[in-house]
Amino acid sequence: MEPNYQALRREFPVLQRKTYLNSGSYCALANDVKAAFEAYMEDRLLVGANWDVWITKNESVRALTARLLNADADEIAVTASVSAGLNALASSLDFSGRRNKVVISDFEFPTNAQIWHAQEPRGARVAHVPRAADGYIPLEHFAGAIDDETLLVAVTHVCFRNGAKLDIPGIVRLAHAKGAMVLLDCYQAVGSMHIDVKALDLDFAAGGMLKYLLGTAGIGFLYVRDTLTKSLLPTHSGWFAQANIAAMDITANRPAPNARRFEAGTPPVANCYASEAGLKFLLTVGTPAIEKRNMALTRRCMERLEEIGWPSITPAEDERRGATVAVPSRNSGALCAALMQHDIVTSHRDDNIRASFHFYNNEDDVESFVAAMKKLRGSFSPN
Ligand SMILES: Cc1ncc(COP(=O)(O)O)c(C=O)c1O
């Protein structure tokens, strides 16, 4: 049965005031998530240092993230950010041999390029897969870059600039055929669509909780395939990455046997409360239903933009698109501000504004956005 989206919308108070199309930057706040933050404050006020509960919250986020991705809880590190997870992973890789190439794409979020370039002094070679004339990166371009010297293919699922979704099953097949591992940066996808790390045959995946996972900033995850964990020894470490956190042993580094070895210090406790509530909410709605809804909303939005003569640059094919519609502008920052004057919340990157959809959006949101864009076209469209 389809979720009752009308009722779900009422759980996000901002939707009564704004047309909220900014989940690709920061999700709308759900009542449940606000209540979770308040529960944390209550704990602090009334109990003080409630460590037993805090650890339970951290483990709950791990278990819920595992459920979301169809992974095992032992395969999930709860991190402070995507960047923290990638740095820990990078520190565990050996770039000193012949297989030292990291293949990334032109669609990467900066952190998933900068961190691999930061490994160059350790021997890494970073290859960028370019886009084609139509702006997309076809599989053939990856085939040309992935070779026997490739250690890792580190790619984004959905591009933060234009909303394009890469052909991840195809990229994984190419990489594994050459003996390379695959890291998926799924931050712009996770929660907005169904992701199954086993079905995708991924080696690693990283994301965070503040966008489509309904949580907050300052917390993320790193998935590490269980058969790889023991062969990877992060040099970015800390006491929460140890096999026995309580051991307080200062004589040696004894990393956890599971993905927890990619963690570091004290968990982001308040963020665990919020993210637990966000993940529970999201899982109740269900990612297959969310994916279907976001596909329909983005498709509708793109069709309506065509009709007003201001087409988006996001790929029209469903299999090449995430939950964001990017629209070019001669002044994207000013357009974003002008939309805000109409109570429409978007974001902008490069020369585009981004309207990102989630299950709590509806067709009226599409219509409000398109009506405002029609009014603003003369001042802000590219020509
Ligand atoms: C695709 C993608 N990857 C990585 C990041 C950065 O994540 P973090 O700030 O948690 O390191 C973002 C943030 O917007 C993102 O959109």
Side-chain angles (χ1 to χ4, degrees):
M1 207 177 66
E2 193 169 74
N4 181 346
Y5 291 113
Q6 199 52 35
L8 290 171
R9 273 174 73 82
R10 289 196 282 277
E11 297 302 318
F12 297 85
V14 73
L15 303 180
Q16 280 152 38
R17 294 159 178 268
K18 307 273 184 212
T19 299
Y20 195 82
L21 301 175
N22 200 23
S23 306
S25 296
Y26 212 145
C27 60
L29 181 67
N31 289 324
D32 278 4
V33 178
K34 177 172 177 276
F37 272 124
E38 285 164 356
Y40 168 71
M41 293 311 291
E42 284 289 296
D43 267 5
R44 290 284 292 122
L45 279 171
L46 303 178
V47 185
N50 205 354
W51 275 107
D52 290 349
V53 173
W54 294 353
I55 295 301
T56 313
K57 295 285 177 196
N58 198 33
E59 291 312 312
S60 175
V61 169
R62 190 190 313 286
L64 290 164
T65 305
R67 209 174 112 203
L68 175 78
L69 300 174
N70 188 29
D72 194 274
D74 274 344
E75 296 174 306
I76 303 293
V78 179
T79 60
S81 61
V82 165
S83 304
L86 297 194
N87 273 310
L89 175 64
S91 81
S92 74
L93 299 178
D94 179 6
F95 301 103
S96 64
R98 205 177 133 260
R99 198 183 268 281
N100 59 1
K101 186 169 162 187
V102 180
V103 172
I104 66 172
S105 80
D106 269 359
F107 283 175
E108 298 318 311
F109 189 85
T111 216
N112 192 38
Q114 292 154 350
I115 288 171
W116 300 113
H117 280 293
Q119 310 311 311
E120 284 164 347
R122 299 177 56 219
R125 287 179 298 132
V126 183
H128 288 241
V129 179
R131 58 187 87 197
D134 67 357
Y136 190 68
I137 311 180
L139 206 50
E140 306 85 80
H141 286 202
F142 285 94
I146 301 168
D147 57 22
D148 293 340
E149 297 184 353
T150 306
L151 177 66
L152 182 72
V153 179
V155 284
T156 193
H157 203 164
V158 171
C159 177
F160 77 107
R161 293 179 200 276
N162 59 21
K165 182 170 107 176
L166 289 173
D167 177 356
I168 301 304
I171 293 168
V172 172
R173 269 196 305 278
L174 287 173
H176 286 171
K178 296 286 183 186
M181 299 179 289
V182 179
L183 160 71
L184 184 67
D185 173 0
C186 60
Y187 209 165
Q188 285 293 334
V190 68
S192 79
M193 64 180 69
H194 187 62
I195 297 179
D196 180 329
V197 292
K198 301 292 174 199
L200 286 172
D201 201 16
L202 296 170
D203 300 295
F204 313 105
M209 314 304 190
L210 94 156
K211 303 178 193 295
Y212 300 99
L213 293 183
L214 308 180
T216 191
I219 180 164
F221 64 83
L222 177 70
Y223 159 79
V224 181
R225 189 202 284 275
D226 58 355
T227 51
L228 289 172
T229 308
K230 289 218 177 86
S231 63
L232 298 170
L233 194 62
T235 60
H236 271 226
S237 190
W239 62 307
F240 269 78
Q242 301 295 300
N244 179 3
I245 299 167
M248 300 288 176
D249 178 7
I250 61 167
T251 64
N253 174 38
R254 295 195 175 84
N258 52 25
R260 214 166 41 69
R261 64 174 54 194
F262 295 91
E263 296 181 9
T266 308
V269 177
N271 304 334
C272 288
Y273 276 67
S275 300
E276 180 192 38
L279 284 162
K280 279 185 178 165
F281 195 126
L282 190 101
L283 285 163
T284 311
V285 186
T287 44
I290 293 171
E291 176 169 338
K292 192 167 154 228
R293 184 160 174 90
N294 287 338
M295 268 301 122
L297 288 169
T298 47
R299 189 183 309 122
R300 176 89 187 139
C301 182
M302 292 173 71
E303 284 166 4
R304 295 285 291 117
L305 286 165
E306 284 275 351
E307 281 166 31
I308 64 160
W310 193 352
S312 82
I313 57 153
T314 302
E317 304 90 323
D318 284 358
E319 66 281 2
R320 287 189 173 187
R321 191 170 78 245
T324 291
V325 173
V327 193
S329 170
R330 75 185 79 140
N331 187 342
S332 60
L335 172 58
C336 196
L339 286 165
M340 190 61 112
Q341 295 295 313
H342 290 76
D343 284 329
I344 298 171
V345 188
T346 58
S347 58
H348 61 97
R349 291 286 182 278
D350 309 328
D351 296 333
N352 306 311
I353 58 140
R354 305 185 303 178
S356 38
F357 290 84
H358 211 347
F359 64 87
Y360 43 65
N361 293 118
N362 61 17
E363 293 217 344
D364 290 347
D365 292 337
V366 174
E367 289 312 314
S368 306
F369 172 62
V370 173
M373 290 289 277
K374 195 172 174 184
K375 277 194 205 136
L376 296 167
R377 196 179 61 175
S379 309
F380 295 106
S381 71
N383 39 52

